[in-house]
Amino acid sequence: MDFEDIVIGSGLAALGAAIGLEGSRSVLVLGGPAQGQFSHYDGRATVPSSYLGDGGLGNDWHGVIPTGWCNAYDPRDDEAYAALFRRFYPRTDPRPRLGQPWLFVPWRPIRPRLEFARLQQERAGKLTLAPELVLSFRASRAGVAVTTAMTTHRARRLWIAAGALHTPGLLERSLGQGIARGLVSDHVGCYVGQADGLQAPAIHRNRDGAFFQAWQGACADALYTLRPARFAYRTLDHGIEQRAVFGLPTGSAIAKISKRMSPGLLAEAFYNRFGLFPAAPRHSVYAQVLVRDAYAVGAAETALIAKDGAIRAATDAARAHAPFAGVRVSQRPELTIPGIHLHHSVDLQSLARAGVGDADFPVQVVDASVLSEIGPEHHSFKMMLGAVARAQRAVRLA
Ligand SMILES: Cc1cc2nc3c(=O)[nH]c(=O)nc-3n(C[C@H](O)[C@H](O)[C@H](O)COP(=O)(O)OP(=O)(O)OC[C@H]3O[C@@H](n4cnc5c(N)ncnc54)[C@H](O)[C@@H]3O)c2cc1C
């Protein structure tokens, strides 16, 4: 064997697997092409859906880590959550907030490139990073052979973290047809409306970041946040009309559009990032809503076709059950923003039939393609936590 472990991907899920493989003799991370490429939700190219290249979408994510546990998944373990959190934010103890819907917004999001470099230093020669694109792999109980555009690497175990849009194709090329669902679930951001006289959200800042208060209501698929409505954003729907145009740009695009930002959007951006001036006579109510099978996947693996009916039904339900009194409801319910929390793109039964999940099968998928339920909260940190736990378990059992 060339390596004990191979990880496909260099984003947050891959980082989780690599962290968990601390006890492995040798780990090779195949991170995708050196020259990376974004895909977008639609032709307007305002919101990215994947990044095929070093660091994945983790180069641009906002780093928001939720502390609620609704629909939380493997592992349901506060200590493991706190240990991973404190690897990145050592001055913050999340444990007192676990189980409540707070959102931690860090001053410095976890960046996979930096963290892989840090791991390489810690692991002294046991971790190799290679900017290679994997074409397919072969697996048997004896190990795996992973073919890239350059060569074939062999290892005892394989960890797949190619992201929700690229993993299904990789699995089908390697294990056979029927594994890609052709559908993918996501969060959608929607504007619920406005309300006057609400108490400002609680915000607790420390040296690592700020915890923002969030809310859950009778609609279990929605997570609600309040933002002060200032300037033109005091007018119902003005904010969502503008945000729907700007989308959710990546860091490099922010500088370009900031020149065109209205004072209302700027005020919201400062609030979102730093929690500045939360008290206001009027608040906008937003919801992040889980939409199961929000998109069909088209001919190319990154081509997404929005299922407008599913998105509308989920956002209408969130609007109908907002946990605030006196909300003037949005008159533009068709305007939504993709959440970039794509997940559940792999058919779990087909994957199991191909052997993935058997105790002696050397392949595990650790990204969001196999998460069938993420609840209403941002999922990425919990996805990483799951990857850490599974890798640690494999090393322990070896
Ligand atoms: C602007 C923005 C803000 C966000 N904010 C948040 C947030 O606050 N909180 C939150 O929870 N989430 C957030 N997200 C979502 C978060 O970024 C993603 O959920 C997360 O980064 C996905 O990580 P991943 O490792 O599963 O996949 P990806 O980041 O997509 O990484 C996939 C990796 O696999 C590699 N790869 C793919 N195919 C191959 C192949 N064939 N061979 C080799 N390598 C391959 C790619 O190069 C890449 O390195 C945000 C996203 C964006 C864009």
Side-chain angles (χ1 to χ4, degrees):
M1 293 291 165
D2 308 327
F3 295 91
E4 189 161 20
D5 291 278
I6 292 177
V7 179
I8 301 178
S10 53
L12 294 170
L15 178 64
I19 290 171
L21 291 171
E22 188 178 2
S24 171
R25 261 185 297 109
S26 55
V27 179
L28 171 65
V29 176
L30 299 170
Q35 198 64 40
Q37 198 180 353
F38 279 108
S39 302
H40 294 90
Y41 275 82
D42 57 44
R44 293 175 303 159
T46 48
V47 185
S49 55
S50 83
Y51 179 73
L52 185 60
D54 189 20
L57 291 173
N59 298 326
D60 291 288
W61 80 313
H62 296 153
V64 176
I65 299 175
T67 55
W69 277 109
C70 59
N71 295 326
Y73 28 89
D74 182 37
R76 292 162 202 266
D77 176 349
D78 290 1
E79 292 308 316
Y81 182 105
L84 186 63
F85 190 100
R86 293 181 83 159
R87 176 182 173 87
F88 306 107
Y89 304 110
R91 296 166 296 201
T92 307
D93 184 358
R95 283 173 298 186
R97 294 173 201 276
L98 295 181
Q100 301 156 45
W102 291 90
L103 298 176
F104 178 70
V105 180
W107 306 140
R108 293 155 67 102
I110 300 165
R111 293 287 176 230
R113 282 179 185 151
L114 278 176
E115 295 300 331
F116 271 115
R118 174 178 158 193
L119 268 188
Q120 260 194 319
Q121 283 196 329
E122 288 173 10
R123 302 271 167 94
K126 290 184 182 170
L127 179 68
T128 306
L129 307 178
E132 291 179 42
L133 180 72
V134 174
L135 304 177
S136 64
F137 63 84
R138 275 184 294 110
S140 70
R141 312 243 173 268
V144 292
V146 178
T147 302
T148 73
M150 295 171 176
T151 185
T152 296
H153 304 279
R154 289 170 209 288
R156 255 182 77 200
R157 291 178 295 235
L158 177 63
W159 304 87
I160 299 179
L165 296 188
H166 294 293
T167 287
L170 177 63
L171 291 171
E172 288 211 331
R173 291 197 297 278
S174 308
L175 298 174
Q177 295 296 305
I179 293 179
R181 288 177 69 231
L183 294 165
V184 53
S185 302
D186 201 357
H187 284 143
V188 167
C190 80
Y191 183 61
V192 174
Q194 290 185 328
D196 293 335
L198 295 180
Q199 195 173 0
I203 299 169
H204 299 158
R205 291 186 191 75
N206 66 21
R207 287 197 290 160
D208 289 322
F211 283 98
F212 286 66
Q213 188 178 11
W215 287 263
Q216 288 176 252
C219 172
D221 290 338
L223 184 74
Y224 299 88
T225 48
L226 292 182
R227 290 171 204 160
R230 297 214 167 80
F231 304 102
Y233 276 40
R234 284 196 296 261
T235 305
L236 188 70
D237 287 323
H238 184 80
I240 190 67
E241 282 162 357
Q242 237 196 7
R243 291 170 121 257
V245 172
F246 282 124
L248 216 142
T250 53
S252 56
I254 285 176
K256 279 188 219 147
I257 67 155
S258 59
K259 292 194 197 86
R260 292 189 282 140
M261 268 186 174
S262 69
L265 183 55
L266 215 57
E268 255 197 14
F270 274 109
Y271 171 76
N272 292 344
R273 186 72 188 85
F274 305 108
L276 293 178
F277 315 119
R282 179 165 295 175
H283 278 89
S284 295
V285 183
Y286 290 94
Q288 173 170 287
V289 190
L290 175 64
V291 185
R292 295 176 187 83
D293 299 343
Y295 299 92
V297 181
E301 63 187 14
T302 56
L304 296 177
I305 302 149
K307 296 182 72 181
D308 294 331
I311 293 172
R312 183 65 185 271
T315 51
D316 279 353
R319 241 178 243 110
H321 295 102
F324 305 100
V327 177
R328 284 181 302 286
V329 176
S330 170
Q331 298 303 297
R332 301 292 310 274
E334 76 284 6
L335 294 180
T336 56
I337 301 171
I340 331 182
H341 295 165
L342 292 160
H343 64 283
H344 197 203
S345 48
V346 158
D347 184 277
L348 300 181
Q349 286 180 349
S350 302
L351 193 65
R353 276 196 296 276
V356 179
D358 292 357
D360 54 356
F361 198 73
V363 181
Q364 294 207 43
V365 182
V366 291
D367 60 32
S369 64
V370 293
L371 298 179
S372 55
E373 275 295 326
I374 65 168
E377 294 183 327
H378 309 61
H379 69 300
S380 306
F381 180 79
K382 290 190 266 185
M383 169 187 74
M384 276 182 76
L385 184 59
V388 174
R390 282 163 68 182
Q392 283 173 337
R393 205 177 302 139
V395 171
R396 232 183 4 253
L397 294 177

